[in-house]
Amino acid sequence: MNVLVVNCGSSSIKYSLLRMHNHESGEVLASGLVEKIGNPPSRLKHKAGDKSDSRDVPAPDHRAAFAVMMQALAEGPAAVIAGPAQIQAVGHRVVHGAERFTGSVRVDADVIKALEDFSTLAPLHNPPNLVGIREAMHLMPGATHVAVFDTAFHQTLPPHAYLYALPYDLYAQHRIRRYGFHGTSHRYVTEATAHLLGRPLAETNVITAHLGNGCSMAAVAGGKSVDTSMGMTPLEGLVMGTRSGDVDPGLVLHLIRSLGKTFDQIDGLLNRQSGLLGISGVSNDMREVVDAAAAGNARADLAVEIFCYRIKKYIGAYTAVLGRVDALVFTGGIGENAAGIRERACRGLEGIGYVLDALRNSAAARGPRDVSADGSPHRILVIPTDEEMMIARDTARIAGGG
Ligand code: ADP
């Protein structure tokens, strides 16, 4: 079964076409993105094996961008299928499934209506996700369309973890609570950890750290998420590229009352000018911040220290939440590649059972691996995430009637 995985944002579409052998395994035939939709020159970057198709394209709107994607898949120099009819199922990444969706679902009119209703909870993400679903359904009416939610994996959080200590009516009437995000990634690495450790998923307790441009951690007990660092929005928790993570909400009041900041200024400040960029003044990109720190930039070094310190605090908190931890897992661009960040986040945690092996941790390796010392009470693992594969698996299962 050919499964197209689509991640539709406000100005870009990322896609992968996978040939699934069954509900578990498959291979990527092609992947790519159309970026700067509606903001010319729009650009296609498409790859299939060692062939590629990258060029400026006309993409004034999402419908045109989907046509560009289909043309790259079916006609261009790196085409892999004869036409849209060869795509049996489409898996859509959807950011917010609120409390309704605890797993992936086949898209129908009812699901689309629910997603429209949740748009107030994720105003930046759900509307473009919906545009993508509509365009893909228009282009591939014969395919099964499946929605896979970033929030679904965290719907197992107990109320004491998902409720804020706010007046209860805010939850009851307005669904203000913690939802958590990056669920597809946390679920993927949790399942991969159970596999690697040879433990049944239902008996696997892990702390997962997804560290990319956005960063979040989760405490997973018996394969189910019981706490996570992102909250009502993806702003809470860890320090990120441009997001602050945890702050005292009282400072927002101070910014308004004493510094006269507007809503838009505070939104920009917390979401786009904070995090690694805000502290270092250098970049939101960890590689550049690490390089600047190594070259002696004190604020870049401080940004790295704050980033790692926040992770360390969450490791401690989630160790307490879980009681028994089988493994701490690092994933995402930073988690998978930045040995120095893993080392700094785990420094001083030997006393609570996290002992890295310096050589294993710094080895230039790829793929799932154990970077802890032989006697470490908890395993410390690096597992490359694969959200596309996870979405394709769910999509193949649902399209296949599973
Ligand atoms: P996204 O969240 O957009 O999927 P990624 O998971 O690809 O992003 O993570 C991007 C982050 O990973 C960037 O901050 C980048 O600098 C960082 N990164 C990638 N490789 C390294 C590396 N070798 N050392 C430090 N940071 C790295």
Side-chain angles (χ1 to χ4, degrees):
M1 180 190 295
N2 289 335
V3 175
L4 181 66
V5 174
V6 176
N7 181 357
C8 186
S10 58
S11 65
S12 71
I13 307 169
K14 294 190 185 127
Y15 62 88
S16 299
L17 183 66
L18 291 92
R19 176 166 296 148
M20 297 302 287
H21 308 304
N22 48 46
H23 304 168
E24 283 299 315
S25 64
E27 76 235 1
V28 176
L29 300 180
S31 62
L33 82 159
V34 183
E35 58 188 354
K36 296 179 73 187
I37 298 170
N39 179 20
S42 310
R43 187 129 185 102
L44 166 74
K45 291 181 188 157
H46 176 90
K47 240 174 91 74
D50 51 11
K51 295 192 180 130
S52 67
D53 183 4
S54 294
R55 55 197 152 88
D56 289 350
V57 288
D61 55 24
H62 282 81
R63 177 155 299 186
F66 269 87
V68 165
M69 171 191 77
M70 193 52 71
Q71 199 215 7
L73 286 167
E75 292 168 29
V80 286
I81 51 170
Q86 289 192 343
I87 296 172
Q88 284 81 32
V90 185
H92 298 270
R93 179 183 176 193
V94 180
V95 168
H96 217 306
E99 292 185 315
R100 158 123 179 231
F101 297 111
T102 56
S104 304
V105 291
R106 184 186 293 259
V107 179
D108 58 19
D110 202 32
V111 169
I112 290 184
K113 168 80 177 61
L115 294 183
E116 284 167 352
D117 291 346
F118 305 156
S119 284
T120 48
L121 285 173
L124 299 181
H125 294 104
N126 273 29
N129 295 160
L130 260 171
V131 169
I133 290 175
R134 289 205 173 95
E135 291 304 337
M137 289 178 104
H138 171 79
L139 199 60
M140 291 163 276
T144 303
H145 292 260
V146 172
V148 179
F149 301 94
D150 269 16
T151 49
F153 183 58
H154 302 302
Q155 276 298 303
T156 45
L157 258 62
H160 59 255
Y162 73 65
L163 281 176
Y164 293 111
L166 294 167
Y168 191 81
D169 273 359
L170 284 178
Y171 168 62
Q173 288 178 22
H174 301 287
R175 299 287 138 196
I176 291 178
R177 50 159 284 180
R178 311 181 65 251
Y179 290 96
F181 299 87
H182 289 145
T184 309
S185 178
H186 290 293
R187 181 160 62 107
Y188 178 87
V189 297
T190 296
E191 291 182 11
T193 300
H195 186 72
L196 198 77
L197 298 181
R199 293 183 73 90
L201 184 61
E203 292 168 23
T204 305
N205 286 5
V206 284
I207 298 173
T208 50
H210 176 104
L211 311 177
N213 280 314
C215 300
S216 70
M217 288 176 62
V220 183
K224 292 186 170 19
S225 179
V226 293
D227 206 350
T228 190
S229 60
M230 282 178 169
M232 159 108 184
T233 76
L235 182 54
E236 191 178 341
L238 301 180
V239 175
M240 314 184 206
T242 61
R243 282 175 249 164
S244 62
D246 295 333
V247 293
D248 176 356
L251 77 76
V252 176
L253 308 180
H254 179 80
L255 289 171
I256 298 168
R257 194 171 41 215
S258 303
L259 301 182
K261 300 279 185 197
T262 64
F263 170 89
D264 284 339
Q265 286 171 331
I266 295 173
D267 180 24
L269 194 139
L270 294 172
N271 279 304
R272 292 181 291 282
Q273 297 152 24
S274 293
L276 293 174
L277 174 67
I279 304 162
S280 70
V282 171
S283 171
N284 64 311
D285 189 286
M286 182 58 98
R287 259 172 307 204
E288 292 177 21
V289 178
V290 166
D291 286 350
N297 183 318
R299 265 176 53 189
D301 190 60
L302 184 61
V304 173
E305 187 60 28
I306 295 172
F307 182 92
C308 295
Y309 178 68
R310 186 80 52 88
I311 296 168
K312 180 190 286 194
K313 285 211 288 191
Y314 272 93
I315 295 171
Y318 288 170
T319 303
V321 165
L322 292 174
R324 194 203 86 233
V325 179
D326 296 309
L328 163 66
V329 187
F330 287 97
T331 194
I334 299 171
E336 293 164 28
N337 299 304
I341 300 295
R342 293 193 296 265
E343 195 274 321
R344 225 156 146 171
C346 293
R347 199 182 290 164
L349 292 179
E350 297 80 5
I352 61 165
Y354 297 93
V355 189
L356 270 177
D357 181 278
L359 272 180
R360 286 176 192 160
N361 184 48
S362 58
R366 297 204 159 268
R369 56 200 186 273
D370 188 335
V371 294
S372 46
D374 287 341
S376 177
H378 312 300
R379 300 287 92 214
I380 307 173
L381 308 177
V382 177
I383 298 187
T385 194
D386 194 342
E387 293 165 274
E388 284 76 20
M389 177 55 77
M390 201 76 228
I391 293 173
R393 282 179 187 164
D394 281 8
T395 305
R397 178 174 47 77
I398 290 171

